[in-house]
Amino acid sequence: MTLWKHPVFAIIQSALCISGVVSVSSRDENQQKCADVNTESLGIANATVWFSEFIEAGTNLTFPDNHLSCSRPSVLVSKDLCRVALQVETSEESRISLEAWLPAKWNKRFLSTGNGGWGGCIQYEDLEYTSSLGFATVGANNGHNGTSGESFLNAPEVVKDFAWRSVHTGVVVGKQITKTFYARNFTKSYYLGCSTGGRQGMKSVQSFPGDFDGVVVGAPALAFNRLNGWSAHFYGLTGTPDSDTFVPVNLWTTIVHDDILRRCDELDGYKDGIIEDVTLCNYRPESLICTPGQNSSTCLTGKQADTVRKVFEPLYGENGTFVYPRMQPGSELTGAAVVSYAGTPFSSDWYKYAVHNDASWDPATVGVEDYALASKLNPGDIETFNGDLSEFRDNGGKLLHYHGQEDAIITSENSPWYYNHVSRTMELPSSELDSFYRFFRISGLAHCTGGSGAGFIGQKSQANAGTKPEQNVLMAMVDWVENGKAPDTILGTAVVPGSASGSSGIGKVAFKRRHCRYPYRNVYSGEGDATDPDTWKCI
Ligand SMILES: *[C@@H]1O[C@H](CO)[C@@H](O)[C@H](O)[C@H]1NC(C)=O
Ligand SMILES: *[C@@H]1O[C@H](CO)[C@@H](O)[C@H](O)[C@H]1NC(C)=O
Ligand SMILES: *[C@@H]1O[C@H](CO)[C@@H](O)[C@H](O)[C@H]1NC(C)=O
Ligand SMILES: *[C@@H]1O[C@H](CO)[C@@H](O)[C@H](O)[C@H]1NC(C)=O
Ligand SMILES: *[C@@H]1O[C@H](CO)[C@@H](O)[C@H](O)[C@H]1NC(C)=O
Ligand SMILES: *[C@@H]1O[C@H](CO)[C@@H](O)[C@H](O)[C@H]1NC(C)=O
C-alpha cells in the first residue's frame, strides 16, 4: 500500500477538501482516472471523446493537429491535469472542438475561456493559466479552425457557433464533464475572456444569464456588426500608402502621438506618457500642418490632418445615424495602430463572409449601406448590445468589465458607451449597477495585453503579476462572488519592457497604479512619488 492510500492520509485528504482544494490522491490514481474518461463514461449527447490524457506538471505540451494560423504550437503545463479532447455536434452541419483541462488539485470551481479575433483557435495559454489556478477549465475552437472568417461563407450554422453557441455548448458539456470526472458538483462557475472573448462573455451575460456566477470580460467586441463597419472604414479614410490622404506610420508614432501627449497627458495631473481618461482628450491635429519649407517628415499636409481628425471622430451611417464611437487618441504606438491605419483593408471578414456572404466583395467599397445591412441581418444574432441584464443580476451574477485605454483594435470608447446604455436601459445609476456590474478603465493597456502603463491585471498568464484579488481580475471576481467583496479598484503593474526572464517571472516591476471603476477617473494628487499607487485617487 502506498502512503497515499493509507487511511491516515485519507483523513488528511478529506481535511484538505474541507479547506477548499480537492486533491484527488496520487499521480498513479489520477492517471488511471483520466485514462478511464471516454465517450461512454461521459455519456453526453452529441459529444465524442477523441482522447483523454494525463499531463504531468512540467510537460511541454505540443499541438501538432492545431491549425497553423492559430500560432499556438506549444504550452508549458505547470500543474498535473487531465486533458480531455472532444468533438461536440452543434447542428447537422456544424461542430466544435472542445477541451477540458481538469487539474489534479481542483479548487471546486468551473471556468470557461473564450476566443480572439475570428477565433477558430482553442486558447491553450488560457486553459493553462486558469487550470494552474485550480479551475476545471474548458476552451473551444468556436466552431471552425484557424484565424480567418472564410468558414462563415454559406455556413449559417458555423456563424451561429461563432456568435454564441460554441461557448454555451462548451459550458453545458464542460459542467457535465466536471461533475462526472470529480464525482461531485462544482461550487461556482466563471468566465474569463478578452476581445472576441470579451464579446462572448457579454453575450453569455445577455442571453445565457444562468451559465456563470462571475464573468470577467476585457475589450469586448460589442455591437459586433457596427464594430466591423467601424474597423473596415479606416481604409477609406487613410487610402492606400501612395495616396495623398495617407499618414505614414512613422508620423503617427512620432509627431501625432507626441502632440496628443502634449495636449492630453497632463489632464490627469501627471506627465508620464499615459492618459488616464481618454474621453477628455479632444485632439486637434491642425497645429501640425506644415509651414512653408518645413521638412515633410516633421509635419502634416492639410489632407493628412483631415485623415487624423476623421480617425478620431465617431462613425455615422445612413441619414446621419450614429454607428460607432471614435478611436480614442493615445494608442498610436502599439503595433495594432499600424493595423488600423496601415492603408490596407482591416478586419473585413465579417462583412465579406457573413453579411454579404460573397468572397469577392471588395472591402474598399464599405459604406453606410453596409453598416445598415449588417445591423439588419445581424447574422447569428451576434450584435451583443442588449442593455437589459436583469436576469443575470437576479441570478446573483457578477460582471467585471475592463478595457485598455490604449486599445487600437477595439476602441475603448465602446465600453462606457455600453455601460451607459445598460444604465439607461435598466434605469440604474452607477451606485446601483455597482452591486452586480463594474467597469474599469485600464490606462496604458493596449488590446488585452501590452501598452505603456500598468496593464498587468491578471487577465492572461502573460499579464499576471500575482493572484491577490486586489491585483488580479479573475481572483477579484472569485472574491466578489464567494465573499461578497466587490473590487473598488484594480491594482495594475507595469513591467520594464524586455525584462521578463524565461517562462517564470513577469520581469522587473516599473511601477504600480490603481485603476478606477467607471465613472470615476484617476488623477495624481500632486504630491509624492507618482509610481506609488497611493499618490493617485479616483474622483
Ligand atoms: C516546447 O516545444 C516546442 C516544440 O518542440 C519548442 O519550440 C518550445 O521552445 C518548447 N517550449 C519550452 C518552454 O521548452
Ligand atoms: C445534437 O445535434 C443535433 C444535430 O445533429 C442538434 O440538433 C441538437 O441540438 C444537438 N443537441 C445538443 C444537446 O447539443
Ligand atoms: C478542426 O480541426 C480538428 C483537428 O484537426 C478536426 O478534427 C476538426 O474536424 C476540425 N473542425 C472543423 C470544423 O473543421
Ligand atoms: C451544481 O452547482 C451549481 C452552482 O452552484 C448549481 O447551479 C447547480 O444547481 C448544482 N447542481 C446540482 C445537481 O447540484
Ligand atoms: C527631414 O527630417 C528627417 C527626420 O528628422 C531627416 O532624416 C531628413 O534628413 C530631413 N530631410 C531634410 C531634407 O532635411
Ligand atoms: C434613411 O432614410 C431613408 C429615407 O427616409 C429611409 O428609407 C432609410 O431607412 C433610413 N435609413 C436608416 C438607417 O435609418
Side-chain angles (χ1 to χ4, degrees), residues 9-242:
F9 274 83
I11 294 165
I12 294 173
Q13 279 169 28
S14 55
L16 284 175
C17 293
I18 293 161
S19 76
V21 172
V22 185
S23 184
V24 216
S25 50
S26 72
R27 206 171 240 182
D28 282 354
E29 281 169 352
N30 280 322
Q31 200 147 15
Q32 189 52 51
K33 208 166 117 188
C34 189
D36 289 345
V37 176
N38 56 46
T39 304
E40 290 70 38
S41 76
L42 291 180
I44 299 171
N46 294 0
T48 308
V49 174
W50 273 331
F51 60 83
S52 176
E53 59 177 354
F54 183 73
I55 314 286
E56 277 188 24
T59 302
N60 180 6
L61 194 59
T62 56
F63 309 104
D65 291 341
N66 208 10
H67 198 274
L68 273 182
S69 66
C70 290
S71 351
R72 285 174 169 83
S74 64
V75 146
L76 193 59
V77 174
S78 61
K79 301 275 167 66
D80 282 5
L81 59 85
C82 177
R83 175 187 179 206
V84 184
L86 315 85
Q87 175 165 291
V88 188
E89 236 178 85
T90 50
S91 76
E92 272 166 31
E93 296 97 48
S94 61
R95 59 194 186 275
I96 60 167
S97 299
L98 179 73
E99 294 202 17
W101 287 25
L102 307 160
K105 281 196 180 154
W106 183 40
N107 65 17
K108 292 192 266 177
R109 301 178 182 114
F110 171 79
L111 183 142
S112 173
T113 60
N115 303 92
W118 302 116
C121 303
I122 293 175
Q123 303 202 155
Y124 289 110
E125 69 284 9
D126 293 343
L127 284 165
E128 150 56 25
Y129 176 46
T130 52
S131 64
S132 76
L133 292 172
F135 296 84
T137 297
V138 294
N141 76 337
N142 224 356
H144 66 279
N145 290 321
T147 53
S148 155
E150 236 170 298
S151 327
F152 304 146
L153 192 66
N154 298 316
E157 295 296 337
V158 175
V159 168
K160 229 186 251 185
D161 282 348
F162 178 73
W164 56 267
R165 197 167 46 192
S166 176
V167 168
H168 177 64
T169 304
V171 169
V172 172
V173 171
K175 285 181 176 179
Q176 285 175 266
I177 296 174
T178 302
K179 287 187 221 175
T180 305
F181 182 76
Y182 295 106
R184 57 174 297 168
N185 200 1
F186 55 88
T187 55
K188 298 286 175 190
S189 161
Y190 295 92
Y191 178 84
L192 180 67
C194 192
S195 191
T196 277
R199 189 197 60 76
Q200 291 168 316
M202 283 293 196
K203 186 69 180 170
S204 165
V205 168
Q206 295 170 13
S207 303
F208 302 96
D211 276 1
F212 302 110
D213 299 293
V215 171
V216 180
V217 298
L222 293 162
F224 193 78
N225 295 297
R226 291 184 270 172
L227 166 65
N228 278 279
W230 175 80
S231 304
H233 99 289
F234 288 106
Y235 182 49
L237 299 183
T238 61
T240 52
D242 58 359

Side-chain angles (χ1 to χ4, degrees), residues 295-298:
N295 180 339
S296 68
S297 69
T298 62

